[in-house]
mmCIF file of all heavy atoms in Angstrom:
data_model
loop_
_atom_site.group_PDB
_atom_site.id
_atom_site.type_symbol
_atom_site.label_atom_id
_atom_site.label_comp_id
_atom_site.label_asym_id
_atom_site.label_seq_id
_atom_site.Cartn_x
_atom_site.Cartn_y
_atom_site.Cartn_z
ATOM 1 N N HIS A 171 -24.462 53.562 282.757
ATOM 2 C CA HIS A 171 -25.380 52.915 281.819
ATOM 3 C C HIS A 171 -26.398 52.071 282.568
ATOM 4 O O HIS A 171 -26.340 51.908 283.785
ATOM 5 C CB HIS A 171 -24.589 52.079 280.810
ATOM 6 C CG HIS A 171 -23.957 52.899 279.729
ATOM 7 N ND1 HIS A 171 -24.291 52.765 278.400
ATOM 8 C CD2 HIS A 171 -23.010 53.869 279.769
ATOM 9 C CE1 HIS A 171 -23.572 53.615 277.670
ATOM 10 N NE2 HIS A 171 -22.792 54.297 278.486
ATOM 11 N N SER A 172 -27.314 51.518 281.819
ATOM 12 C CA SER A 172 -28.417 50.788 282.431
ATOM 13 C C SER A 172 -27.971 49.528 283.157
ATOM 14 O O SER A 172 -28.719 48.999 283.982
ATOM 15 C CB SER A 172 -29.465 50.436 281.377
ATOM 16 O OG SER A 172 -28.898 49.668 280.333
ATOM 17 N N CYS A 173 -26.764 49.060 282.888
ATOM 18 C CA CYS A 173 -26.242 47.909 283.625
ATOM 19 C C CYS A 173 -26.098 48.218 285.105
ATOM 20 O O CYS A 173 -26.204 47.315 285.956
ATOM 21 C CB CYS A 173 -24.893 47.479 283.047
ATOM 22 S SG CYS A 173 -23.677 48.823 282.909
ATOM 23 N N CYS A 174 -25.861 49.479 285.439
ATOM 24 C CA CYS A 174 -25.566 49.882 286.815
ATOM 25 C C CYS A 174 -26.524 50.919 287.391
ATOM 26 O O CYS A 174 -26.546 51.114 288.609
ATOM 27 C CB CYS A 174 -24.152 50.465 286.896
ATOM 28 S SG CYS A 174 -22.842 49.292 286.497
ATOM 29 N N PHE A 175 -27.300 51.585 286.540
ATOM 30 C CA PHE A 175 -28.084 52.722 287.013
ATOM 31 C C PHE A 175 -29.443 52.255 287.543
ATOM 32 O O PHE A 175 -30.469 52.350 286.868
ATOM 33 C CB PHE A 175 -28.254 53.751 285.903
ATOM 34 C CG PHE A 175 -28.814 55.071 286.374
ATOM 35 C CD1 PHE A 175 -28.651 55.501 287.681
ATOM 36 C CD2 PHE A 175 -29.513 55.885 285.502
ATOM 37 C CE1 PHE A 175 -29.170 56.706 288.120
ATOM 38 C CE2 PHE A 175 -30.034 57.103 285.919
ATOM 39 C CZ PHE A 175 -29.856 57.499 287.240
ATOM 40 N N GLU A 176 -29.422 51.754 288.768
ATOM 41 C CA GLU A 176 -30.661 51.351 289.428
ATOM 42 C C GLU A 176 -31.380 52.602 289.934
ATOM 43 O O GLU A 176 -30.766 53.483 290.533
ATOM 44 C CB GLU A 176 -30.380 50.403 290.587
ATOM 45 C CG GLU A 176 -31.647 49.868 291.249
ATOM 46 C CD GLU A 176 -31.365 48.864 292.335
ATOM 47 O OE1 GLU A 176 -30.172 48.546 292.570
ATOM 48 O OE2 GLU A 176 -32.331 48.385 292.959
ATOM 49 N N VAL A 177 -32.682 52.675 289.696
ATOM 50 C CA VAL A 177 -33.461 53.843 290.077
ATOM 51 C C VAL A 177 -34.705 53.397 290.849
ATOM 52 O O VAL A 177 -35.040 52.223 290.910
ATOM 53 C CB VAL A 177 -33.881 54.673 288.844
ATOM 54 C CG1 VAL A 177 -32.658 55.239 288.145
ATOM 55 C CG2 VAL A 177 -34.712 53.831 287.872
ATOM 56 N N ARG A 178 -35.386 54.388 291.433
ATOM 57 C CA ARG A 178 -36.617 54.128 292.171
ATOM 58 C C ARG A 178 -37.824 54.623 291.379
ATOM 59 O O ARG A 178 -37.691 55.192 290.304
ATOM 60 C CB ARG A 178 -36.546 54.807 293.539
ATOM 61 C CG ARG A 178 -35.457 54.251 294.442
ATOM 62 C CD ARG A 178 -35.543 54.861 295.836
ATOM 63 N NE ARG A 178 -35.267 56.287 295.827
ATOM 64 C CZ ARG A 178 -34.061 56.816 296.006
ATOM 65 N NH1 ARG A 178 -33.013 56.039 296.187
ATOM 66 N NH2 ARG A 178 -33.901 58.129 295.995
ATOM 67 N N GLU A 179 -38.974 54.410 291.947
ATOM 68 C CA GLU A 179 -40.211 54.751 291.247
ATOM 69 C C GLU A 179 -40.311 56.244 290.948
ATOM 70 O O GLU A 179 -40.976 56.642 289.976
ATOM 71 C CB GLU A 179 -41.408 54.305 292.075
ATOM 72 C CG GLU A 179 -42.727 54.298 291.315
ATOM 73 C CD GLU A 179 -42.734 53.328 290.139
ATOM 74 O OE1 GLU A 179 -42.163 52.230 290.261
ATOM 75 O OE2 GLU A 179 -43.318 53.687 289.096
ATOM 76 N N ASP A 180 -39.623 57.092 291.757
ATOM 77 C CA ASP A 180 -39.705 58.532 291.493
ATOM 78 C C ASP A 180 -39.103 58.874 290.134
ATOM 79 O O ASP A 180 -39.548 59.807 289.462
ATOM 80 C CB ASP A 180 -39.034 59.343 292.604
ATOM 81 C CG ASP A 180 -37.561 59.037 292.762
ATOM 82 O OD1 ASP A 180 -37.118 57.948 292.358
ATOM 83 O OD2 ASP A 180 -36.843 59.890 293.324
ATOM 84 N N PHE A 181 -38.075 58.106 289.715
ATOM 85 C CA PHE A 181 -37.504 58.322 288.386
ATOM 86 C C PHE A 181 -38.544 58.008 287.317
ATOM 87 O O PHE A 181 -38.782 58.800 286.402
ATOM 88 C CB PHE A 181 -36.268 57.442 288.186
ATOM 89 C CG PHE A 181 -35.686 57.523 286.791
ATOM 90 C CD1 PHE A 181 -34.700 58.438 286.490
ATOM 91 C CD2 PHE A 181 -36.137 56.682 285.783
ATOM 92 C CE1 PHE A 181 -34.170 58.525 285.204
ATOM 93 C CE2 PHE A 181 -35.615 56.758 284.503
ATOM 94 C CZ PHE A 181 -34.633 57.682 284.216
ATOM 95 N N ALA A 182 -39.158 56.836 287.425
ATOM 96 C CA ALA A 182 -40.161 56.441 286.441
ATOM 97 C C ALA A 182 -41.309 57.432 286.394
ATOM 98 O O ALA A 182 -41.776 57.821 285.310
ATOM 99 C CB ALA A 182 -40.675 55.038 286.758
#
Side-chain angles (χ1 to χ4, degrees):
H171 282 243
S172 58
C173 52
C174 296
F175 191 26
E176 184 176 358
V177 296
R178 296 186 295 269
E179 194 62 38
D180 61 337
F181 175 91

